[in-house]
């Protein structure tokens, strides 16, 4: 899988009074896209963070609130079942997020089931363990077709910040540098980026070649530096040849007080970093400690690049990152306009949706 984009949103609570109308409108849009372009194109569109935001705005959501993710996808799941659509829709919030269990209840070929399980677990581990930003995964969703085209949409929450972050995946690689999205940046240890490739190799070197007691010794020593000096970043972080981040580490980037040391007692060689993510008990705290240790031992660089950056759906009038693709905008608008007209919702809701569509086109 390839990371396609990331979005930061505000945490929202409360019911959605127009759920019936938005569901019928989304039903029409989904059916039109499948009929016109097929299931692969539908999956690609849901994997695009800004297209998804535009869809949610058409359905009546504010552009930066968390419900635009959970409610829009909850409706899609219900629609796929009610209309027997040629897509597989799994996951959700809380207990409904266990895709590996839910997929066993579906009539799907074993090979595709195995792929879904693998993609589900790995994408969740990457977003929760390798993107260390103080947010925790609470929503996990998958859309697939019977040919194995699929997208994963994960959402993480920070109770402290009262915000959520949404991560989009599409077919290709587990670790990729083309992460795009939009939102405000936060202090992030990014172990999934291309810059961290050498660091990931060095973490494997430590796991495979060092005795467990020796690894514990390294980590405990680093933790003592952290407690004594309020930070360990001044020993391990450089940017433009100048040491930075002398301030105290955020709580979510510190080496934790409790570490599950048994996760280090591996009786086999870990061949790749993906295998490491499947080790029972190896959580983000221990992984973070191993990253700091790898920096001290091997000198490999740590990436503090937050994957949340601005993204463009159709370019801009000044040509950054490219000029507006007006024909594409009008083509998509026409498709959505037809879908709105076909929707089995009341006229007032249709008119509001069309006005919203016109506003989006004029932006």
């Amino acid at each position: 899988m390839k990371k396609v984009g990331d979005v930061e949103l505000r945490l929202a609570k409360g019911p959605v009074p127009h759920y019936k109308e938005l569901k019928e409108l989304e039903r029409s849009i989904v059916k039109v896209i499948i009929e016109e372009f097929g299931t692969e194109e539908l999956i690609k569109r849901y994997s695009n963070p800004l297209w998804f935001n535009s869809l949610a705005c058409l359905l009546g959501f504010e552009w930066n609130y968390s419900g635009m993710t959970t409610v829009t996808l909850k409706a899609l799941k219900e629609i796929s079942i009610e209309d027997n659509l040629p897509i597989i829709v799994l996951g959700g919030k809380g207990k409904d997020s266990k895709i590996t269990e839910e997929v066993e209840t579906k009539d799907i070929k074993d090979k595709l089931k195995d792929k879904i399980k693998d993609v589900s677990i790995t994408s969740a581990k990457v977003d929760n363990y390798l993107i260390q930003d103080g947010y925790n995964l609470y929503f996990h969703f998958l859309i697939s077709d019977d040919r194995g085209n699929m997208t994963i949409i994960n959402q993480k929450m920070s109770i402290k910040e009262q915000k959520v972050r949404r991560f989009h995946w599409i077919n290709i690689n587990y670790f990729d540098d083309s992460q795009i999205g939009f939102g405000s940046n936060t202090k992030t240890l990014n172990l999934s980026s291309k810059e961290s490739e050498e660091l990931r190799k060095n973490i494997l070197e430590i796991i495979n070649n060092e005795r467990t007691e020796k690894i514990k010794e390294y980590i405990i020593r680093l933790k003592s530096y952290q407690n004594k000096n309020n930070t360990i970043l001044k020993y391990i972080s450089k940017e433009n040849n100048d040491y930075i981040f002398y301030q105290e580490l955020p709580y979510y980037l510190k080496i934790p007080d409790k570490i599950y040391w048994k996760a280090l007692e591996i009786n086999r060689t870990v061949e790749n970093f993906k295998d490491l993510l499947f080790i029972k008990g190896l959580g983000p705290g221990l992984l973070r400690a191993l990253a700091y240790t790898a920096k001290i031992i091997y000198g490999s660089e740590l990436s503090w690049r937050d994957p949340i950056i601005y993204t463009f759906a159709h370019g801009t009038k000044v040509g950054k990152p490219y000029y507006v693709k007006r024909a594409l905008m009008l083509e998509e608008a026409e498709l959505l306009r037809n879908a709105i007209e076909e929707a089995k919702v009341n006229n007032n809701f249709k008119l509001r949706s069309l006005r919203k569509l016109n506003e989006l086109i004029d932006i």
Side-chain angles (χ1 to χ4, degrees):
M1 299 288 283
K2 172 184 177 180
K3 181 67 70 61
V4 178
D6 317 274
V7 180
E8 184 174 271
L9 306 167
R10 293 181 183 178
L11 186 60
K13 299 176 182 178
V16 180
H18 67 295
Y19 182 73
K20 179 181 177 181
E21 287 86 356
L22 78 82
K23 182 176 170 182
E24 290 306 317
L25 179 53
E26 185 171 9
R27 189 192 308 274
S28 295
I29 292 171
V30 167
K31 284 185 170 182
V32 167
I33 292 174
I34 291 176
E35 184 176 336
E36 293 284 333
F37 305 106
T39 56
E40 183 177 1
E41 183 63 27
L42 179 77
I43 289 165
K44 282 182 181 178
R45 293 190 186 216
Y46 272 85
S47 76
N48 182 317
L50 196 52
W51 187 91
F52 184 93
N53 268 34
S54 299
L55 170 65
C57 287
L58 281 179
L59 299 179
F61 289 99
E62 297 294 328
W63 69 271
N64 61 344
Y65 279 87
S66 61
M68 71 187 319
T69 306
T70 55
V71 178
T72 299
L73 292 175
K74 175 177 179 283
L76 176 65
K77 190 172 186 178
E78 292 177 3
I79 293 163
S80 70
I81 296 169
E82 293 167 1
D83 289 29
N84 194 27
L85 297 179
I87 54 174
I88 302 159
V89 184
L90 305 168
K93 185 163 56 174
K95 62 181 177 60
D96 294 328
S97 66
K98 297 179 180 179
I99 290 174
T100 54
E101 295 179 9
E102 186 180 1
V103 72
E104 289 296 342
T105 67
K106 304 296 182 181
D107 183 19
I108 305 172
K109 293 179 181 178
D110 289 342
K111 187 176 181 180
L112 182 55
K113 276 187 181 180
D114 291 341
K115 181 180 179 181
I116 287 173
K117 289 177 184 178
D118 178 74
V119 166
S120 168
I121 295 171
T122 307
S123 65
K125 295 277 190 182
V126 169
D127 286 341
N128 217 25
Y129 289 10
L130 301 192
I131 306 294
Q132 302 207 7
D133 51 10
Y135 289 65
N136 296 309
L137 189 67
Y138 78 101
F139 181 86
H140 181 49
F141 203 86
L142 178 144
I143 311 168
S144 176
D145 62 18
D146 58 7
R147 297 189 302 278
N149 299 301
M150 64 181 68
T151 182
I152 289 274
I153 301 174
N154 290 329
Q155 191 149 285
K156 299 169 70 178
M157 177 193 302
S158 170
I159 299 296
K160 184 176 181 180
E161 299 292 333
Q162 287 292 291
K163 291 181 180 179
V164 302
R165 289 181 151 207
R166 191 173 76 234
F167 297 81
H168 291 248
W169 291 75
I170 192 71
N171 313 327
I172 304 179
N173 299 312
Y174 287 112
F175 303 107
D176 194 274
D177 202 35
S178 58
Q179 298 172 0
I180 56 173
F182 67 88
S184 58
N185 288 18
T186 187
K187 186 79 73 184
T188 301
L189 176 62
N190 188 343
L191 302 179
S192 73
S193 68
K194 189 173 289 184
E195 297 103 306
S196 297
E197 185 175 357
E198 190 65 27
L199 179 74
R200 293 194 292 269
K201 291 178 182 177
N202 291 335
I203 290 174
L204 289 180
E205 288 284 330
I206 293 172
I207 289 288
N208 288 329
N209 299 322
E210 295 283 359
R211 293 180 297 108
T212 300
E213 289 304 315
K214 191 67 175 176
I215 300 173
K216 287 175 65 175
E217 183 183 321
Y218 284 135
I219 294 174
I220 290 169
R221 190 183 303 168
L222 275 174
K223 185 165 173 55
S224 71
Y225 289 154
Q226 170 184 284
N227 293 340
K228 181 180 179 180
N229 300 289
N230 262 348
T231 181
I232 56 173
L233 279 175
K234 63 182 178 181
Y235 296 104
I236 60 178
S237 298
K238 284 186 77 174
E239 189 173 280
N240 299 325
N241 297 318
D242 295 318
Y243 283 96
I244 56 170
F245 303 139
Y246 285 93
Q247 72 271 22
E248 185 176 358
L249 278 167
Y251 69 93
Y252 55 85
L253 291 181
K254 290 184 177 180
I255 296 175
D257 293 327
K258 294 182 179 180
I259 290 178
Y260 186 69
W261 298 111
K262 285 187 177 181
L264 297 174
E265 297 172 1
I266 304 164
N267 296 320
R268 60 181 177 79
T269 299
V270 182
E271 295 183 358
N272 57 61
F273 200 83
K274 181 185 167 187
D275 290 342
L276 187 68
L277 297 178
F278 283 72
I279 293 173
K280 185 177 180 180
L282 190 140
L286 178 53
L287 193 57
R288 183 163 63 247
L290 287 169
Y292 295 160
T293 303
K295 171 62 178 176
I296 294 297
I297 296 175
Y298 295 99
S300 47
E301 290 302 318
L302 295 168
S303 173
W304 305 99
R305 181 173 60 82
D306 189 349
I308 298 287
I309 58 175
Y310 194 79
T311 186
F312 302 85
H314 302 290
T316 66
K317 64 182 180 181
V318 294
K320 296 181 180 179
Y322 48 80
Y323 287 100
V324 173
K325 297 180 180 179
R326 295 183 61 83
L328 177 61
M329 290 177 68
L330 293 174
E331 181 182 320
E332 291 184 358
E334 187 61 27
L335 181 147
L336 292 171
R337 185 175 285 107
N338 290 338
I340 292 169
E341 294 291 356
E342 292 178 19
K344 296 178 181 178
V345 296
N346 63 63
N347 286 331
N348 286 338
F349 190 76
K350 285 185 180 181
L351 289 172
R352 287 200 301 271
S353 298
L354 288 168
R355 279 197 295 269
K356 180 72 75 172
L357 176 61
N358 289 331
E359 288 172 8
L360 291 171
I361 296 170
D362 291 338
I363 289 175

